[in-house]
Amino acid sequence: MGRKGKMIEKQIDSDYLDESMSIQIYQPESFSDLYKYDICIMQDGNDYFQMGRVATLSDRLHESKEISNTVFVGIHYKDKHDRRKKYHPSGEQNKAYIKFLVHEVVPLLDSIIPTYHMGRSRTLIGDSLAGTLALMTAIQYPNTFGKIAMQSPYVDETVLEAVNKIDNLSTIDIYHTIGTNETDVSMTDGNRADFLTPNRKLHAILQEKGATYLYHELDEGEHTWKYWQKDMKRLLTSLFE
């Protein structure tokens, strides 16, 4: 089954990261300058397109009118070390990467996609560390990104502290999932960690902050794409209804 939409690739020579970054942009079949679009930016972009099957879902959900007009944008990492450097809250390129998203990716997308040019029409989604990045970026730039989805995000004291400091998240819509079996997750740095407990702590804090907030614990869910993929339809229809 061929894809109905159109995949475009753009390069950004990033001043912040000092490297050329590749951006994949998937437009729905009916894409036209006559319409306005939501923009969904996904870190771990290739994983979302391949394992998350986002292009196929986009085709299906646009056709059934279960989601509003949405363009899906994927940004990928070179390898696990590069991913950690850019996505981890204490990674050495993390601040530069967030600036790259806000000051280089958003202006590029705004120039080629007819959009509402406001936070509410821009979404960041990610799994694991990419989900952490989505949250940390949106709380720093709530006027730029109005929606986030994080699937099994990595949560440490830095993350909990950053969210705790914020008085009000009423401008942000948040979709958050964690699997009930994510108590002993093997991480890319070779260590093992309990993801469930810190995610429950994060949930408790976020509930207090006034965000429009959807939280699901995936029954027996594990830290794998098998569970994240199964949840993609609900994630997309919740955020882009």
Side-chain angles (χ1 to χ4, degrees), residues 15 65 95 105 117 119-120 142 145 152 168 200 208 238:
D15 293 335
K65 302 207 170 8
K95 287 183 174 62
V105 175
H117 297 283
R120 272 277 188 261
F145 303 104
S152 309
N168 189 327
R200 283 178 170 162
E208 305 292 299
S238 300

Side-chain angles (χ1 to χ4, degrees), residues 11 14 16 46 55 64 67 71 83 86 102 107 109 118 125 127 136 143 146-147 163 177 181 189 223 225 240:
Q11 296 294 327
S14 172
Y16 295 100
N46 297 357
S64 61
I67 59 172
V71 170
R83 180 176 184 263
K86 291 183 165 89
V102 174
L109 297 174
M118 53 196 231
I125 76 176
D127 61 287
M136 298 295 274
N143 299 329
K147 296 180 185 179
V163 177
T177 57
N181 282 0
D189 61 5
H223 200 76
W225 269 102
F240 304 111

Side-chain angles (χ1 to χ4, degrees), residues 30 40 112 118 132 141 144 161 170:
S30 59
C40 178
I112 57 179
M118 53 196 231
T132 315
Y141 294 94
T144 307
E161 228 166 88
S170 61

